[in-house]
């Protein structure tokens, strides 16, 4: 690959991977994607079972000309917790991506991103700003905590996220600044956008899923698990991915593009049906997001749609390869109950959208549903439905006990800048 190996989805100038990570969003408003995918010798990877070693082989080619050294040491530090593949029955698998420090798949991307920033270290601290309505904030806060040369600012709407979510954002201190905003999530996002136009002289980047460094490690979910299953089954592996901003599922398409043994990909969304509406009408129309039980997928204008569309030449090609279904709250609840009754297996409300689609596939090929969060994070929804108590994993117990530290501000840019320019 050449040095400037990334291009904006809107066609702007090519940049290096290092710059793409530092900029986050391309200057033309697009998202960075590889100009072409590296040649990865997929068959040679069938014998590498150790996940960090596997990760090195898949990710290093993207960083050929980078100052970031993707070596075994880097990958052992970032991927210090497992990705777990289980099966429900002979054809149906679950890919559990929630064994990291904050119990969602976002830990993989957030930790990889944080370590990249640490290696890109500049003369002044790099400032990372992110608005969150839940899982992103906790994953990014945990990943940045203690990273030298990086200051993290995590904005969340005061009183509008769950107690457990708030505890996971506010327990860190040090270089992680939690900021409760008197306002809505949308106002938090507007503050982030304004900060980018105000801030001068410092390196400011964002940690949401538009950043290429959060997306690339997600390719590993599908690269690694497809090989593990293909080794046993000698067949292509099919996936159902619960989706909101479409970062996770874009990584699945990229893994397929790289040549991993992946067959069909299905997308499950919640009531926010912007993608299925687009597929049926051919006209893209962003929608205001609606609140659902699967709140980390409450997205009305998914940013990674640009990356997904970029993979295909035109709308008919896109429509032939992309299949989405919107699943409402009633169906989410029914899925949680059915999965527990049938398999004694607990799923979170996001994973439940994928489980709902598992019942439509009838084939002799393996199907995998991606489990994006640990059920314990959504105990308010699951416990009354099933009449059970979900045990709290030790990593969460520790965070819940820690003292909470956070600023409280009005949704005004001057208040945010006072904290960021301390
Ligand atoms: C973020 C998130 C999703 C949605 O992932 P996208 O990459 O935005 O499509 C799904 N489930 C959980 C638990 C999440 O935290």
């Amino acid at each position: 690959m050449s040095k400037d190996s990334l291009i904006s989805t809107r066609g702007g100038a090519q940049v290096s991977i290092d710059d793409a990570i530092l900029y986050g969003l391309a200057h033309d408003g697009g998202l960075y994607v590889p100009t072409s995918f590296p040649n990865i010798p997929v068959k040679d990877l069938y014998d590498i079972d150790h996940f960090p070693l596997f990760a090195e082989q898949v990710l290093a080619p993207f960083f050929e000309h980078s100052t970031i050294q993707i070596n075994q040491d880097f990958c052992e530090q970032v991927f210090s917790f497992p990705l777990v593949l289980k099966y429900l029955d002979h054809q149906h698998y679950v890919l559990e991506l929630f064994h990291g420090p904050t119990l969602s798949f976002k830990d993989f991307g957030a930790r990889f991103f944080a370590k990249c920033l640490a290696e890109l270290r500049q003369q002044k601290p790099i400032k990372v700003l992110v608005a969150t309505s839940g899982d992103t904030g906790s994953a990014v806060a945990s990943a940045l905590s203690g990273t030298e040369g990086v200051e993290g600012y995590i904005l969340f709407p005061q009183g509008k996220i769950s107690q457990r979510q708030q505890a996971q954002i506010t327990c860190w201190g040090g270089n992680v600044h939690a900021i409760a905003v008197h306002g809505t999530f949308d106002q938090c996002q507007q503050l982030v956008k304004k900060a980018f136009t105000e801030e001068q002289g410092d390196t400011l980047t964002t940690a949401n899923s538009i950043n290429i460094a959060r997306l690339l490690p997600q390719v590993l979910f599908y690269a690694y698990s497809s090989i593990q299953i293909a080794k046993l089954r000698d067949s292509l592996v099919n996936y159902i991915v619960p989706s909101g901003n479409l970062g996770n599922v874009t990584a699945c398409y990229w893994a397929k593009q790289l040549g991993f043994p992946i067959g069909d990909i299905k997308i499950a969304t919640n009531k926010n049906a912007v993608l299925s509406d687009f597929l049926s009408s051919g006209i893209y129309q962003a929608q205001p997001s609606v609140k659902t039980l699967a709140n980390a997928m409450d997205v009305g204008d998914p940013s990674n749609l640009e990356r997904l569309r970029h993979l295909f030449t035109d709308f008919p090609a896109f429509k032939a390869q992309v299949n989405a279904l919107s699943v409402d709250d009633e169906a989410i609840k029914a899925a949680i109950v059915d999965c527990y009754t049938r398999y004694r297996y607990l799923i979170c409300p996001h994973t439940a959208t994928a489980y709902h689609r598992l019942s439509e596939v009838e084939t002799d090929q393996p199907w995998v549903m991606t489990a994006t969060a640990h059920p314990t994070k959504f105990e308010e929804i699951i416990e009354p439905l099933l009449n059970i108590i979900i045990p709290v994993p030790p990593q969460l117990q520790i965070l819940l006990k820690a003292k909470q530290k956070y600023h409280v501000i009005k949704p005004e840019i001057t208040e945010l800048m006072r904290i960021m320019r301390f």
Side-chain angles (χ1 to χ4, degrees):
M1 291 177 90
S2 69
K3 181 170 183 304
D4 291 333
S5 57
L6 291 128
I7 190 165
S8 159
T9 45
R10 301 194 185 165
Q14 288 176 218
V15 300
S16 68
I17 183 89
D18 294 7
D19 284 344
I21 293 171
L22 286 174
Y23 300 154
L25 197 67
H27 295 314
D28 61 6
L31 277 71
Y32 288 114
V33 292
T35 44
S36 64
F37 285 92
N39 274 324
I40 293 177
V42 171
K43 282 285 171 200
D44 296 350
L45 305 186
Y46 273 54
D47 296 327
I48 307 179
D49 286 331
H50 185 55
F51 185 72
L53 266 185
F54 181 91
E56 181 193 352
Q57 297 302 315
V58 175
L59 296 177
F62 289 95
F63 289 80
E64 227 173 45
H65 301 280
S66 170
T67 52
I68 304 166
Q69 295 272 330
I70 306 290
N71 50 29
Q72 186 177 353
D73 193 40
F74 185 107
C75 292
E76 297 277 5
Q77 280 181 41
V78 170
F79 306 117
S80 56
F81 49 89
L83 159 163
V84 177
L85 193 58
K86 291 187 176 162
Y87 57 87
L88 294 174
D89 57 32
H90 182 60
Q91 353 202 16
H92 298 145
Y93 292 78
V94 193
L95 177 59
E96 292 184 349
L97 300 176
F98 52 65
H99 296 283
T102 69
L103 308 174
S104 88
F105 80 86
K106 293 196 171 74
D107 284 323
F108 287 90
R111 288 172 64 87
F112 187 81
F113 168 74
K115 183 100 173 95
C116 285
L117 289 188
E119 301 248 322
L120 284 173
R121 211 166 143 182
Q122 316 246 307
Q123 271 161 2
K124 286 204 221 165
I126 300 176
K127 293 180 177 176
V128 179
L129 182 58
V130 66
T132 177
S133 55
D135 288 339
T136 300
S138 44
V140 170
S142 156
L144 291 180
S145 176
T147 303
E148 267 181 58
V150 180
E151 297 289 324
Y153 301 88
I154 322 284
L155 272 59
F156 64 93
Q158 164 103 341
K160 295 200 173 64
I161 64 175
S162 79
Q163 270 309 311
R164 282 192 185 175
Q165 283 174 325
Q166 177 165 327
Q168 288 179 286
I169 293 171
T170 57
C171 64
W172 306 99
N175 65 326
V176 173
H177 313 272
I179 304 171
V181 178
H182 262 301
T184 61
F185 172 62
D186 289 338
Q187 284 175 308
C188 294
Q189 274 196 314
Q190 281 156 18
L191 280 180
V192 169
K193 284 201 184 127
K194 278 196 198 135
F196 275 88
T197 51
E198 296 259 325
E199 186 61 61
Q200 279 150 2
D202 279 336
T203 306
L204 182 63
T205 189
T206 173
N208 68 26
S209 69
I210 59 172
N211 199 298
I212 188 80
R214 279 196 47 201
L215 205 99
L216 283 175
Q218 296 178 1
V219 168
L220 299 169
F221 306 160
Y222 304 99
Y224 184 78
S225 63
S226 64
I227 286 185
Q228 293 299 315
I229 296 175
K231 279 202 288 198
L232 299 171
R233 304 285 302 256
D234 194 24
S235 134
L236 290 179
V237 183
N238 310 292
Y239 288 90
I240 308 176
V241 184
S243 299
N245 243 328
L246 302 174
N248 197 349
V249 77
T250 297
C252 187
Y253 280 92
W254 285 8
K256 185 173 175 174
Q257 189 87 16
L258 284 164
F260 289 93
I262 296 169
D264 285 346
I265 300 168
K266 286 183 192 283
I267 297 172
T269 69
N270 59 23
K271 196 83 203 300
N272 292 279
V274 59
L275 181 58
S276 18
D277 290 353
F278 173 48
L279 284 165
S280 53
S281 71
I283 298 159
Y284 181 71
Q285 182 72 59
Q287 298 166 7
S289 68
V290 297
K291 212 171 143 43
T292 75
L293 294 175
N295 64 1
M297 301 176 0
D298 292 349
V299 179
D301 187 11
S303 39
N304 284 294
L305 182 59
E306 274 199 49
R307 284 195 169 113
L308 203 52
R309 290 178 76 170
H310 191 81
L311 279 175
F312 306 101
T313 44
D314 53 18
F315 182 71
F318 177 84
K319 193 169 164 146
Q321 295 293 321
V322 178
N323 174 310
L325 182 79
S326 155
V327 179
D328 68 17
D329 278 355
E330 283 314 305
I332 286 175
K333 286 191 212 158
I336 292 171
V337 173
D338 188 79
C339 185
Y340 189 67
T341 317
R342 207 181 284 252
Y343 301 111
R344 290 284 135 188
Y345 185 74
L346 286 174
I347 48 177
C348 84
H350 310 82
T351 309
T353 62
Y355 181 84
H356 178 85
R357 296 209 71 180
L358 210 53
S359 58
E360 41 171 275
V361 300
E362 248 185 291
T363 154
D364 46 9
Q365 286 186 5
W367 277 87
V368 183
M369 70 169 179
T370 303
T372 51
H374 195 294
T376 194
K377 291 188 96 169
F378 300 90
E379 90 289 359
E380 300 113 319
I381 297 165
I382 301 170
E383 290 183 350
L385 268 180
L386 302 177
N387 214 352
I388 56 164
I389 301 288
I390 307 174
V392 180
Q395 66 259 56
L396 182 56
Q397 280 177 28
I398 294 167
L399 299 188
L400 293 178
K401 278 195 210 119
K403 191 169 156 29
Q404 299 195 9
K405 278 174 263 172
Y406 57 96
H407 304 268
V408 181
I409 66 168
K410 294 198 212 89
E412 280 164 22
I413 186 68
T414 46
E415 299 218 359
L416 176 59
M417 289 329 263
R418 200 173 314 127
I419 295 171
M420 292 186 63
R421 291 206 180 109
F422 65 96

